[in-house]
Amino acid sequence: QVQLVESGGGLVQAGGSLRLSCAASGTVFNINTMNWFRQAPGKQREFVATVTRGGSTSYADSVKGRFTISRGNAKNTVYLQMNSLKPEDTAVYSCNAVLGSSWYWGQGTQVTVSS
């Protein structure tokens, strides 16, 4: 079992920055990939970014060049640095961890970008 807790969300003006954190606890040594997803009101959850245990990253086209995903040295923490935020980035951001075929989710943190 893995528990995930996100933090760092909030209200920011367009063009601003936020840094989200997600800390994993429990059976963390087998975590391979960690991801960030987001869900805006009335929309489906969408992929934002992924990072493997080895540090390989991938991003959704909508955030490429503005967001950076990284993992802490202990590999059980993942960060999402969000720069040049836009109103359309407003959503609940959720952390996800993959162990084998099991997916674990955090409770989410609200990010609101005002125009």
Side-chain angles (χ1 to χ4, degrees):
Q1 290 289 331
V2 174
Q3 296 78 44
L4 302 170
V5 178
E6 300 99 334
S7 61
L11 173 64
V12 65
Q13 287 188 333
S17 298
L18 282 175
R19 188 189 193 215
L20 305 183
S21 300
C22 173
S25 60
T27 311
V28 299
F29 57 89
N30 278 336
I31 293 176
N32 182 9
T33 302
M34 297 190 77
N35 310 292
W36 285 98
F37 286 78
R38 67 185 182 186
Q39 187 167 20
K43 294 187 177 181
Q44 289 188 329
R45 184 167 58 196
E46 65 174 359
F47 165 79
V48 175
T50 186
V51 59
T52 68
R53 191 173 185 85
S56 297
T57 60
S58 182
Y59 300 89
D61 287 342
S62 59
V63 306
K64 202 172 295 184
R66 300 187 297 122
F67 291 10
T68 303
I69 189 172
S70 61
R71 287 176 77 161
N73 290 334
K75 306 298 183 185
N76 62 335
T77 304
V78 64
Y79 305 98
L80 186 68
Q81 177 67 42
M82 305 185 294
N83 298 326
S84 302
L85 283 161
K86 305 175 181 179
E88 51 263 44
D89 294 319
T90 294
V92 175
Y93 284 71
S94 297
C95 173
N96 160 265
V98 179
L99 282 80
S101 60
S102 298
W103 287 50
Y104 297 91
W105 295 90
Q107 81 288 352
T109 184
Q110 177 70 46
V111 171
T112 303
V113 184
S114 63
S115 57

